[in-house]
Amino acid sequence: ETGVTQSPTHLIKTRGQQVTLRCSSQSGHNTVSWYQQALGQGPQFIFQYYREEENGRGNFPPRFSGLQFPNYSSELNVNALELDDSALYLCASSPTSGSSGANVLTFGAGSRLTVL
Amino acid sequence: LAKTTQPISMDSYEGQEVNITCSHNNIATNDYITWYQQFPSQGPRFIIQGYKTKVTNEVASLFIPADRKSSTLSLPRVSLSDTAVYYCLVGDLRGGSGGSNYKLTFGKGTLLTVNP
């Protein structure tokens, strides 16, 4: 069983540029969530994708967008990068657990974005 | 969404038992309590999850009182490698459409430092 894999692991961009981060979900998982983790802070929820549609979003502006593909992999796109976008971006996948609130998010190792 | 409160940091020594308490006064009926461990520059790793009373697995125990307004993660006989940030997460983690529009709040977590 493969875990969650993310790419690239590290990247450097300049203000105003655009970035695309990629995530392959764990085998058997159909829901993908993205998180932003600034240095010294806990992960902050960006959005969740299920069946190729966004079905939950945190307090992030529209320049943060995403996609989910039929194989459940996902992309996070950030336009017009700002210095404060420098962070570790985490992808997490989970299965659909029906009516139970019990579920486990499996996280990838993250993509470290530095905006100069 | 239930807000959680945990100590910012804790210190311990190798071989000791460590208990980290999390307060979540506004926990909802469908919410589960989940603890994650995170090492620097890595994604959070699932430790344990519970709904009420006591749950035990090979690495930890989770104690939840009847009112569910708090929970305690117990790590038996910690080692240096247990030095990490521990997050208490409270929410309805249903994947798919069942958990739509939820916003998972990690908070800053508890930095546990295990000393020789």
Side-chain angles (χ1 to χ4, degrees), chain B residues 7-109:
Chain B
I8 297 295
S9 63
M10 294 182 68
D11 281 287
S12 183
Y13 292 92
E14 283 189 290
Q16 288 188 332
E17 177 185 75
V18 171
N19 296 310
I20 306 174
T21 297
C22 178
S23 297
H24 29 81
N25 293 320
N26 297 322
I27 190 169
T29 302
N30 288 336
D31 288 347
Y32 275 69
I33 300 157
T34 312
W35 285 80
Y36 283 84
Q37 175 193 56
Q38 187 177 28
F39 298 111
S41 297
Q42 294 187 25
R45 184 177 72 99
F46 171 84
I47 301 174
I48 197 166
Q49 183 177 72
Y51 185 81
K52 61 180 179 181
T53 63
K54 176 184 175 182
V55 179
T56 297
N57 62 22
E58 63 277 7
V59 298
S61 294
L62 179 60
F63 300 90
I64 305 168
D67 65 6
R68 305 204 321 128
K69 294 182 183 296
S70 66
S71 59
T72 299
L73 173 71
S74 180
L75 303 172
R77 298 178 298 281
V78 294
S79 63
L80 296 177
S81 63
D82 292 319
T83 294
V85 177
Y86 292 81
Y87 293 100
C88 166
L89 186 64
V90 175
D92 179 353
L93 298 184
R94 284 177 288 174
S97 58
S100 64
N101 295 317
Y102 63 79
K103 301 176 184 180
L104 300 182
T105 303
F106 273 77
K108 293 187 176 182

Side-chain angles (χ1 to χ4, degrees), chain A residues 25-54:
Chain A
S25 60
Q26 180 167 313
S27 177
H29 288 187
N30 55 18
T31 302
V32 174
S33 302
W34 285 91
Y35 296 81
Q36 180 195 66
Q37 186 172 27
L39 203 60
Q41 304 294 316
Q44 300 300 305
F45 176 75
I46 302 176
F47 42 54
Q48 178 195 29
Y49 276 83
Y50 172 67
R51 290 185 175 176
E52 303 176 49
E53 290 189 1
E54 181 184 301

